[in-house]
């Protein structure tokens, strides 16, 4: 797997972590998911795809942001729009902050998403 695929896998994990935690709890796989999340926070992606498939997580070539906004992994910046990304630069997730809402937290790292420079 190349670096861009790794970044995409971590983005998918982050974006789907709420669903994955619910499924892991329901199936008794919490410890396994915790190990995968810890590995992803350290920059490793082993087990992400296999685990996500095993619990029926969506497979997508796009990184989805909360609120239904969909961005390709390489987001095109637009004037006047704040685009946030991974605080550790470990993934390709992009999130456009709706006005007046708090900044999302990275589900893998547990810290706020970082504002990406527009220039």
């Amino acid at each position: 797997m190349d670096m861009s695929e790794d970044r995409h896998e971590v983005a998918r994990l982050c974006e789907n972590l709420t669903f994955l935690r619910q499924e892991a709890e329901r199936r008794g796989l919490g410890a396994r998911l915790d190990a995968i999340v810890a590995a992803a926070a350290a920059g490793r992606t082993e087990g992400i795809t296999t685990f996500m498939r095993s619990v029926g997580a969506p497979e997508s070539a796009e990184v989805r942001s909360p609120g239904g906004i969909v961005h390709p992994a390489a987001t095109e910046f637009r004037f006047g729009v704040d685009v946030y990304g991974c605080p550790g630069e470990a993934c390709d997730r992009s999130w456009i902050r709706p006005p007046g809402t708090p900044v999302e937290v990275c589900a893998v790292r547990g810290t706020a998403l970082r504002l990406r420079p527009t220039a």
Side-chain angles (χ1 to χ4, degrees):
M1 188 177 291
D2 69 23
M3 182 67 100
S4 65
E5 289 175 358
D6 286 349
R7 293 175 58 82
H8 181 71
E9 286 304 294
V10 175
R12 285 184 57 230
L13 177 68
C14 182
E15 184 62 33
N16 290 287
L17 200 51
T18 299
F19 166 79
L20 294 172
R21 288 201 191 284
Q22 291 169 349
E23 285 300 303
E25 182 178 323
R26 190 173 72 77
R27 299 170 189 232
L29 301 171
R32 183 171 168 207
L33 179 58
D34 289 343
I36 290 168
V37 170
R44 298 186 320 273
T45 60
E46 61 269 3
I48 293 174
T49 298
T50 303
F51 185 83
M52 290 183 74
R53 284 182 182 149
S54 75
V55 297
E59 289 195 38
S60 173
E62 298 172 320
V63 178
R64 296 190 177 272
S65 291
I69 302 169
V70 179
H71 309 282
T75 299
E76 179 181 325
F77 294 103
R78 294 176 286 178
F79 179 76
V81 174
D82 288 340
V83 178
Y84 290 78
C86 181
E89 295 296 320
C91 81
D92 290 332
R93 181 177 178 207
S94 293
W95 176 70
I96 294 178
R97 181 179 175 204
T101 62
V103 175
E104 287 279 315
V105 172
C106 170
V108 171
R109 293 183 177 264
T111 57
L113 297 177
R114 188 175 56 80
L115 180 63
R116 290 189 176 159
T118 56

